[in-house]
């Protein structure tokens, strides 16, 4: 199943910078592993914001939930999820 996920990160300024950097390093490693596995095929930064728009390709809602809640930055994220399906005018015939 394909999902569009929008994530905005709001790390509190009171969090020590060393802790923030460690969390960001874990986040990067985790997200890159998911990208290599094909579960997170697209990620785009939103210009001027600490935010991204991503496409996830996972088995079901539960797998997406498990992935998102395991993100190291999850406690400081606002997340919006929208399921996707093939558009009837698409020239691509592959149905996910």
């Amino acid at each position: 199943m394909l999902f569009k996920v929008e994530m905005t990160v709001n790390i509190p300024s009171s969090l020590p910078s060393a802790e923030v950097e460690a969390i960001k390093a874990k986040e990067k490693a985790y997200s890159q592993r998911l990208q290599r596995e094909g579960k997170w095929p697209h990620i785009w930064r939103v210009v001027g914001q600490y935010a991204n728009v991503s496409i996830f390709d996972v088995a079901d809602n539960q797998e997406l939930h498990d992935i998102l809640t395991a993100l190291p930055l999850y406690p400081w994220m606002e997340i919006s999820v929208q399921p996707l399906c093939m558009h009837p005018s698409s020239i691509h015939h592959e149905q996910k």
Side-chain angles (χ1 to χ4, degrees):
M1 294 180 69
L2 294 176
F3 293 90
K4 179 182 93 168
V5 179
E6 297 180 30
M7 297 177 242
T8 301
V9 182
N10 296 298
I11 299 172
S13 59
S14 60
L15 209 58
S17 60
E19 187 176 341
V20 171
E21 292 310 310
I23 293 167
K24 287 181 180 181
K26 288 179 186 174
E27 180 90 7
K28 183 175 183 176
Y30 179 59
S31 70
Q32 288 181 344
R33 178 174 59 86
L34 291 167
Q35 290 173 64
R36 284 190 288 278
E37 292 173 358
K39 294 180 184 293
W40 196 336
H42 300 282
I43 182 171
W44 296 276
R45 170 149 300 166
V46 178
V47 175
Q49 298 179 32
Y50 193 175
N52 73 72
V53 175
S54 295
I55 302 298
F56 284 83
D57 187 356
V58 294
D60 54 29
N61 295 338
Q62 187 63 54
E63 183 180 17
L64 180 62
H65 178 79
D66 293 343
I67 286 171
L68 295 177
T69 57
L71 288 165
L73 287 169
Y74 177 78
W76 304 285
M77 287 183 169
E78 293 177 27
I79 298 176
S80 170
V81 176
Q82 295 178 311
L84 300 173
C85 62
M86 185 64 65
H87 192 283
S89 297
S90 173
I91 62 170
H92 303 284
H93 299 289
E94 181 180 330
Q95 189 73 0
K96 288 267 184 175

